[in-house]
């Protein structure tokens, strides 16, 4: 496998490794003033909250990874205009002055994700459950009424 030098510093990347976690970030060195793009301690978990949304014949199902959170620390809300909001907060672990931290990788802070639900969602029958760090929100779908088709005899 060939190693290709980078034109952006001393980094070298292995082009042939699709599973490499060493991903070049072109915006890493730019100062960002936008509150949506910059990570602060208050929003660092916001970016890391992963949510899957799948549609089955019966329902829309959302699955959110919220490891280490209790159900009391997560909120699921629906607004009048068909917006599902999943939010919560992971608190920072209390530091002891005698502790020596070698690495801090777990994110903390608030997170919030919003999804506009389609017209076929039954807004009054939404259910949520949490098991093993995965929040599952199930939004049942309205039954699509198939049009009645009546065959017409052709005379003649």
């Amino acid at each position: 496998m060939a190693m290709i030098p980078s034109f952006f510093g001393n980094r070298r990347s292995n082009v042939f490794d699709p599973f490499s976690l060493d991903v070049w970030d072109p915006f890493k060195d730019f100062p960002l003033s936008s509150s949506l793009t910059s990570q602060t301690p208050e929003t660092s978990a916001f970016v890391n909250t992963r949510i899957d949304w799948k549609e089955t014949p019966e329902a829309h199902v959302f699955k959110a990874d919220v490891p280490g959170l209790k159900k009391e620390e997560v909120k699921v809300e629906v607004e009048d205009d068909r917006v599902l909001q999943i939010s919560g907060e992971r608190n920072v672990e209390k530091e002891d002055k005698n502790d020596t931290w070698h690495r801090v990788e777990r994110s903390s802070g608030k997170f919030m994700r919003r999804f506009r639900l389609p017209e076929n969602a039954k807004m009054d029958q939404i259910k949520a459950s949490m098991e093993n760090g995965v929040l599952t929100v199930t939004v049942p779908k309205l039954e699509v009424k198939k049009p009645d088709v009546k065959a017409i005899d052709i005379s003649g």
Side-chain angles (χ1 to χ4, degrees), residues 11-55:
R11 286 191 69 248
R12 296 174 78 77
S13 64
N14 187 340
V15 175
F16 299 104
D17 184 4
F19 302 106
S20 174
L21 296 176
D22 186 23
V23 179
W24 174 65
D25 180 6
F27 304 107
K28 178 182 74 170
D29 297 324
F30 288 105
L32 300 173
S33 60
S34 170
S35 62
L36 292 175
T37 57
S38 63
Q39 280 194 13
T40 64
E42 296 82 32
T43 61
S44 62
F46 172 83
V47 176
N48 295 324
T49 304
R50 306 283 190 221
I51 297 181
D52 295 336
W53 176 2
K54 73 175 177 179
E55 182 176 355

Short mmCIF file of all heavy atoms in Angstrom, two decimals, residues 11-55:
data_model
loop_
_atom_site.label_atom_id
_atom_site.label_comp_id
_atom_site.label_asym_id
_atom_site.label_seq_id
_atom_site.Cartn_x
_atom_site.Cartn_y
_atom_site.Cartn_z
N ARG A 11 1.20 15.52 7.92
CA ARG A 11 0.33 14.34 8.00
C ARG A 11 0.54 13.45 6.79
O ARG A 11 0.70 13.90 5.68
CB ARG A 11 -1.14 14.77 8.01
CG ARG A 11 -1.55 15.35 9.32
CD ARG A 11 -3.05 15.52 9.41
NE ARG A 11 -3.70 14.22 9.48
CZ ARG A 11 -4.45 13.72 8.51
NH1 ARG A 11 -4.67 14.37 7.42
NH2 ARG A 11 -5.02 12.55 8.66
N ARG A 12 0.49 12.19 7.02
CA ARG A 12 0.51 11.21 5.95
C ARG A 12 -0.75 10.37 6.12
O ARG A 12 -1.14 10.05 7.22
CB ARG A 12 1.76 10.34 6.04
CG ARG A 12 3.03 11.16 5.84
CD ARG A 12 4.25 10.31 6.07
NE ARG A 12 4.61 9.43 4.99
CZ ARG A 12 5.20 9.81 3.87
NH1 ARG A 12 5.47 11.06 3.66
NH2 ARG A 12 5.53 8.92 2.95
N SER A 13 -1.39 10.04 5.03
CA SER A 13 -2.61 9.25 5.13
C SER A 13 -2.50 8.04 4.24
O SER A 13 -1.87 8.07 3.20
CB SER A 13 -3.84 10.09 4.75
OG SER A 13 -3.74 10.46 3.41
N ASN A 14 -3.13 6.98 4.67
CA ASN A 14 -3.14 5.75 3.89
C ASN A 14 -4.43 5.75 3.08
O ASN A 14 -5.51 5.54 3.61
CB ASN A 14 -3.08 4.55 4.84
CG ASN A 14 -2.92 3.26 4.09
OD1 ASN A 14 -3.21 3.19 2.91
ND2 ASN A 14 -2.46 2.25 4.77
N VAL A 15 -4.32 5.99 1.81
CA VAL A 15 -5.49 6.12 0.94
C VAL A 15 -6.25 4.81 0.84
O VAL A 15 -7.45 4.79 0.67
CB VAL A 15 -5.05 6.60 -0.46
CG1 VAL A 15 -6.23 6.62 -1.40
CG2 VAL A 15 -4.40 7.95 -0.37
N PHE A 16 -5.57 3.69 0.98
CA PHE A 16 -6.20 2.39 0.77
C PHE A 16 -6.88 1.82 2.00
O PHE A 16 -7.42 0.73 1.94
CB PHE A 16 -5.15 1.41 0.24
CG PHE A 16 -4.57 1.85 -1.06
CD1 PHE A 16 -3.31 2.39 -1.12
CD2 PHE A 16 -5.30 1.77 -2.23
CE1 PHE A 16 -2.78 2.83 -2.32
CE2 PHE A 16 -4.79 2.19 -3.43
CZ PHE A 16 -3.52 2.73 -3.48
N ASP A 17 -6.86 2.50 3.11
CA ASP A 17 -7.49 1.99 4.33
C ASP A 17 -8.83 2.67 4.53
O ASP A 17 -8.90 3.78 5.05
CB ASP A 17 -6.59 2.23 5.54
CG ASP A 17 -7.15 1.63 6.81
OD1 ASP A 17 -8.21 0.96 6.73
OD2 ASP A 17 -6.54 1.81 7.86
N PRO A 18 -9.94 2.03 4.14
CA PRO A 18 -11.26 2.68 4.26
C PRO A 18 -11.72 2.79 5.71
O PRO A 18 -12.65 3.51 6.00
CB PRO A 18 -12.18 1.76 3.45
CG PRO A 18 -11.53 0.43 3.52
CD PRO A 18 -10.04 0.70 3.54
N PHE A 19 -11.07 2.08 6.62
CA PHE A 19 -11.49 2.09 8.02
C PHE A 19 -10.62 2.98 8.89
O PHE A 19 -10.74 2.98 10.09
CB PHE A 19 -11.50 0.67 8.58
CG PHE A 19 -12.40 -0.24 7.79
CD1 PHE A 19 -11.86 -1.19 6.94
CD2 PHE A 19 -13.77 -0.12 7.85
CE1 PHE A 19 -12.67 -2.01 6.19
CE2 PHE A 19 -14.60 -0.92 7.10
CZ PHE A 19 -14.05 -1.87 6.26
N SER A 20 -9.73 3.73 8.27
CA SER A 20 -8.83 4.59 9.02
C SER A 20 -9.64 5.67 9.74
O SER A 20 -10.52 6.29 9.17
CB SER A 20 -7.82 5.25 8.09
OG SER A 20 -7.07 6.19 8.80
N LEU A 21 -9.31 5.88 11.01
CA LEU A 21 -9.98 6.93 11.78
C LEU A 21 -9.22 8.25 11.69
O LEU A 21 -9.62 9.23 12.26
CB LEU A 21 -10.10 6.50 13.25
CG LEU A 21 -10.98 5.28 13.48
CD1 LEU A 21 -10.97 4.88 14.94
CD2 LEU A 21 -12.39 5.54 13.01
N ASP A 22 -8.11 8.24 10.98
CA ASP A 22 -7.29 9.43 10.83
C ASP A 22 -7.83 10.23 9.66
O ASP A 22 -7.39 10.10 8.52
CB ASP A 22 -5.84 9.01 10.59
CG ASP A 22 -4.91 10.19 10.57
OD1 ASP A 22 -5.26 11.24 11.15
OD2 ASP A 22 -3.83 10.07 9.97
N VAL A 23 -8.83 11.06 9.91
CA VAL A 23 -9.51 11.80 8.85
C VAL A 23 -9.06 13.26 8.91
O VAL A 23 -9.07 13.88 9.97
CB VAL A 23 -11.04 11.73 9.03
CG1 VAL A 23 -11.74 12.52 7.95
CG2 VAL A 23 -11.49 10.28 9.00
N TRP A 24 -8.67 13.78 7.78
CA TRP A 24 -8.23 15.17 7.71
C TRP A 24 -9.43 16.09 7.79
O TRP A 24 -10.41 15.93 7.07
CB TRP A 24 -7.45 15.39 6.42
CG TRP A 24 -7.08 16.82 6.20
CD1 TRP A 24 -6.24 17.57 6.97
CD2 TRP A 24 -7.54 17.68 5.17
NE1 TRP A 24 -6.13 18.83 6.46
CE2 TRP A 24 -6.93 18.93 5.35
CE3 TRP A 24 -8.40 17.52 4.09
CZ2 TRP A 24 -7.15 20.01 4.52
CZ3 TRP A 24 -8.61 18.59 3.26
CH2 TRP A 24 -7.99 19.81 3.48
N ASP A 25 -9.37 17.06 8.66
CA ASP A 25 -10.43 18.04 8.82
C ASP A 25 -9.94 19.37 8.24
O ASP A 25 -9.06 20.01 8.83
CB ASP A 25 -10.79 18.22 10.29
CG ASP A 25 -11.90 19.23 10.51
OD1 ASP A 25 -12.47 19.73 9.51
OD2 ASP A 25 -12.20 19.53 11.68
N PRO A 26 -10.45 19.79 7.08
CA PRO A 26 -9.95 21.02 6.45
C PRO A 26 -10.25 22.28 7.25
O PRO A 26 -9.62 23.30 7.04
CB PRO A 26 -10.65 21.05 5.10
CG PRO A 26 -11.88 20.24 5.29
CD PRO A 26 -11.53 19.19 6.31
N PHE A 27 -11.20 22.22 8.19
CA PHE A 27 -11.58 23.40 8.96
C PHE A 27 -10.99 23.40 10.37
O PHE A 27 -11.30 24.27 11.16
CB PHE A 27 -13.11 23.50 9.05
CG PHE A 27 -13.76 23.53 7.70
CD1 PHE A 27 -14.45 22.43 7.23
CD2 PHE A 27 -13.66 24.64 6.89
CE1 PHE A 27 -15.03 22.45 5.98
CE2 PHE A 27 -14.23 24.67 5.64
CZ PHE A 27 -14.93 23.57 5.18
N LYS A 28 -10.13 22.43 10.65
CA LYS A 28 -9.58 22.26 12.00
C LYS A 28 -8.86 23.50 12.49
O LYS A 28 -8.98 23.89 13.64
CB LYS A 28 -8.65 21.06 12.01
CG LYS A 28 -7.97 20.81 13.34
CD LYS A 28 -7.05 19.64 13.24
CE LYS A 28 -5.83 20.08 12.47
NZ LYS A 28 -4.73 19.20 12.45
N ASP A 29 -8.10 24.16 11.63
CA ASP A 29 -7.27 25.28 12.04
C ASP A 29 -7.93 26.64 11.86
O ASP A 29 -7.33 27.66 12.15
CB ASP A 29 -5.94 25.24 11.29
CG ASP A 29 -5.15 23.99 11.64
OD1 ASP A 29 -5.20 23.56 12.80
OD2 ASP A 29 -4.51 23.44 10.72
N PHE A 30 -9.15 26.69 11.34
CA PHE A 30 -9.83 27.95 11.14
C PHE A 30 -10.60 28.33 12.39
O PHE A 30 -11.30 27.49 12.98
CB PHE A 30 -10.83 27.87 9.98
CG PHE A 30 -10.17 27.81 8.64
CD1 PHE A 30 -10.12 26.61 7.94
CD2 PHE A 30 -9.61 28.93 8.08
CE1 PHE A 30 -9.52 26.53 6.71
CE2 PHE A 30 -9.00 28.87 6.84
CZ PHE A 30 -8.95 27.67 6.15
N PRO A 31 -10.52 29.60 12.80
CA PRO A 31 -11.36 30.02 13.93
C PRO A 31 -12.80 30.13 13.47
O PRO A 31 -13.08 30.74 12.44
CB PRO A 31 -10.79 31.39 14.32
CG PRO A 31 -10.09 31.88 13.09
CD PRO A 31 -9.64 30.65 12.33
N LEU A 32 -13.71 29.52 14.20
CA LEU A 32 -15.12 29.52 13.82
C LEU A 32 -15.89 30.38 14.80
O LEU A 32 -15.84 30.17 16.00
CB LEU A 32 -15.68 28.10 13.81
CG LEU A 32 -14.99 27.14 12.84
CD1 LEU A 32 -15.51 25.75 13.03
CD2 LEU A 32 -15.23 27.59 11.41
N SER A 33 -16.64 31.32 14.28
CA SER A 33 -17.40 32.21 15.15
C SER A 33 -18.84 31.78 15.28
O SER A 33 -19.55 32.20 16.17
CB SER A 33 -17.34 33.64 14.64
OG SER A 33 -17.89 33.70 13.34
N SER A 34 -19.31 30.93 14.38
CA SER A 34 -20.71 30.51 14.40
C SER A 34 -20.96 29.57 15.57
O SER A 34 -20.21 28.64 15.81
CB SER A 34 -21.07 29.81 13.10
OG SER A 34 -22.33 29.22 13.22
N SER A 35 -22.04 29.80 16.30
CA SER A 35 -22.36 28.94 17.43
C SER A 35 -22.84 27.57 16.97
O SER A 35 -22.85 26.63 17.74
CB SER A 35 -23.42 29.59 18.32
OG SER A 35 -24.61 29.76 17.58
N LEU A 36 -23.25 27.44 15.69
CA LEU A 36 -23.70 26.15 15.20
C LEU A 36 -22.54 25.24 14.85
O LEU A 36 -22.65 24.03 14.91
CB LEU A 36 -24.59 26.34 13.96
CG LEU A 36 -25.92 26.99 14.21
CD1 LEU A 36 -26.64 27.23 12.89
CD2 LEU A 36 -26.77 26.16 15.12
N THR A 37 -21.40 25.81 14.47
CA THR A 37 -20.29 24.99 14.03
C THR A 37 -19.22 24.82 15.08
O THR A 37 -18.43 23.90 15.00
CB THR A 37 -19.66 25.59 12.76
OG1 THR A 37 -19.25 26.92 13.04
CG2 THR A 37 -20.61 25.55 11.60
N SER A 38 -19.15 25.68 16.06
CA SER A 38 -18.10 25.55 17.06
C SER A 38 -18.57 24.65 18.19
O SER A 38 -19.72 24.67 18.58
CB SER A 38 -17.70 26.92 17.59
OG SER A 38 -18.79 27.53 18.24
N GLN A 39 -17.63 23.86 18.69
CA GLN A 39 -17.97 22.99 19.81
C GLN A 39 -17.55 23.65 21.11
O GLN A 39 -16.39 23.99 21.30
CB GLN A 39 -17.25 21.65 19.68
CG GLN A 39 -17.91 20.72 18.74
CD GLN A 39 -17.37 19.32 18.90
OE1 GLN A 39 -16.69 19.00 19.87
NE2 GLN A 39 -17.66 18.48 17.95
N THR A 40 -18.50 23.87 21.96
CA THR A 40 -18.23 24.38 23.29
C THR A 40 -18.60 23.28 24.26
O THR A 40 -19.28 22.32 23.90
CB THR A 40 -19.09 25.63 23.57
OG1 THR A 40 -20.47 25.25 23.55
CG2 THR A 40 -18.85 26.72 22.53
N PRO A 41 -18.19 23.39 25.52
CA PRO A 41 -18.58 22.35 26.48
C PRO A 41 -20.10 22.17 26.57
O PRO A 41 -20.57 21.09 26.83
CB PRO A 41 -18.01 22.88 27.80
CG PRO A 41 -16.86 23.74 27.40
CD PRO A 41 -17.26 24.36 26.08
N GLU A 42 -20.86 23.24 26.29
CA GLU A 42 -22.31 23.13 26.38
C GLU A 42 -22.90 22.36 25.21
O GLU A 42 -23.98 21.82 25.31
CB GLU A 42 -22.96 24.52 26.44
CG GLU A 42 -22.61 25.31 27.68
CD GLU A 42 -21.27 26.01 27.56
OE1 GLU A 42 -20.88 26.40 26.44
OE2 GLU A 42 -20.59 26.14 28.59
N THR A 43 -22.23 22.34 24.06
CA THR A 43 -22.81 21.71 22.88
C THR A 43 -22.00 20.53 22.36
O THR A 43 -22.31 19.99 21.32
CB THR A 43 -22.94 22.73 21.74
OG1 THR A 43 -21.64 23.21 21.41
CG2 THR A 43 -23.87 23.87 22.11
N SER A 44 -20.98 20.10 23.08
CA SER A 44 -20.14 19.03 22.54
C SER A 44 -20.90 17.73 22.41
O SER A 44 -20.68 16.98 21.46
CB SER A 44 -18.90 18.83 23.43
OG SER A 44 -19.29 18.44 24.72
N ALA A 45 -21.80 17.43 23.31
CA ALA A 45 -22.58 16.19 23.19
C ALA A 45 -23.62 16.29 22.08
O ALA A 45 -24.04 15.29 21.54
CB ALA A 45 -23.26 15.87 24.52
N PHE A 46 -24.03 17.50 21.75
CA PHE A 46 -25.02 17.70 20.69
C PHE A 46 -24.55 17.07 19.38
O PHE A 46 -25.29 16.40 18.71
CB PHE A 46 -25.23 19.21 20.50
CG PHE A 46 -26.07 19.57 19.32
CD1 PHE A 46 -27.45 19.54 19.41
CD2 PHE A 46 -25.51 19.95 18.13
CE1 PHE A 46 -28.24 19.87 18.32
CE2 PHE A 46 -26.27 20.28 17.04
CZ PHE A 46 -27.65 20.24 17.14
N VAL A 47 -23.30 17.26 19.06
CA VAL A 47 -22.77 16.76 17.81
C VAL A 47 -22.65 15.24 17.84
O VAL A 47 -22.80 14.58 16.83
CB VAL A 47 -21.40 17.42 17.54
CG1 VAL A 47 -20.75 16.85 16.29
CG2 VAL A 47 -21.55 18.92 17.41
N ASN A 48 -22.40 14.67 19.00
CA ASN A 48 -22.12 13.25 19.11
C ASN A 48 -23.35 12.37 19.32
O ASN A 48 -23.21 11.17 19.43
CB ASN A 48 -21.12 13.01 20.24
CG ASN A 48 -19.80 13.65 19.94
OD1 ASN A 48 -19.36 13.68 18.80
ND2 ASN A 48 -19.15 14.18 20.96
N THR A 49 -24.53 12.94 19.42
CA THR A 49 -25.73 12.14 19.63
C THR A 49 -26.19 11.59 18.29
O THR A 49 -26.63 12.31 17.42
CB THR A 49 -26.84 12.99 20.27
OG1 THR A 49 -26.35 13.55 21.47
CG2 THR A 49 -28.05 12.14 20.58
N ARG A 50 -26.08 10.29 18.15
CA ARG A 50 -26.42 9.62 16.89
C ARG A 50 -27.85 9.11 16.96
O ARG A 50 -28.23 8.46 17.93
CB ARG A 50 -25.48 8.44 16.64
CG ARG A 50 -24.03 8.81 16.70
CD ARG A 50 -23.63 9.51 15.42
NE ARG A 50 -22.19 9.65 15.37
CZ ARG A 50 -21.59 10.73 14.94
NH1 ARG A 50 -22.29 11.74 14.52
NH2 ARG A 50 -20.29 10.80 14.91
N ILE A 51 -28.63 9.38 15.92
CA ILE A 51 -30.02 8.94 15.89
C ILE A 51 -30.32 8.33 14.52
O ILE A 51 -30.00 8.91 13.49
CB ILE A 51 -30.99 10.11 16.17
CG1 ILE A 51 -30.74 10.66 17.58
CG2 ILE A 51 -32.44 9.67 16.01
CD1 ILE A 51 -31.64 11.80 17.97
N ASP A 52 -30.93 7.15 14.54
CA ASP A 52 -31.39 6.50 13.33
C ASP A 52 -32.90 6.69 13.22
O ASP A 52 -33.61 6.65 14.22
CB ASP A 52 -31.11 4.99 13.37
CG ASP A 52 -29.63 4.68 13.39
OD1 ASP A 52 -28.83 5.52 12.92
OD2 ASP A 52 -29.27 3.59 13.87
N TRP A 53 -33.41 6.88 12.00
CA TRP A 53 -34.84 7.02 11.76
C TRP A 53 -35.18 6.05 10.63
O TRP A 53 -34.69 6.18 9.52
CB TRP A 53 -35.17 8.45 11.36
CG TRP A 53 -36.61 8.71 10.98
CD1 TRP A 53 -37.65 7.84 10.98
CD2 TRP A 53 -37.14 9.96 10.55
NE1 TRP A 53 -38.80 8.47 10.58
CE2 TRP A 53 -38.52 9.77 10.31
CE3 TRP A 53 -36.60 11.22 10.34
CZ2 TRP A 53 -39.34 10.80 9.87
CZ3 TRP A 53 -37.43 12.24 9.90
CH2 TRP A 53 -38.79 12.04 9.68
N LYS A 54 -36.02 5.07 10.96
CA LYS A 54 -36.47 4.15 9.92
C LYS A 54 -37.99 4.17 9.87
O LYS A 54 -38.66 4.45 10.86
CB LYS A 54 -35.94 2.73 10.15
CG LYS A 54 -36.61 1.99 11.28
CD LYS A 54 -36.11 0.56 11.35
CE LYS A 54 -36.73 -0.15 12.54
NZ LYS A 54 -36.29 -1.53 12.64
N GLU A 55 -38.50 3.85 8.68
CA GLU A 55 -39.94 3.80 8.50
C GLU A 55 -40.32 2.37 8.17
O GLU A 55 -39.77 1.77 7.26
CB GLU A 55 -40.37 4.74 7.37
CG GLU A 55 -41.86 4.76 7.16
CD GLU A 55 -42.29 5.77 6.10
OE1 GLU A 55 -41.44 6.52 5.60
OE2 GLU A 55 -43.49 5.79 5.78
#
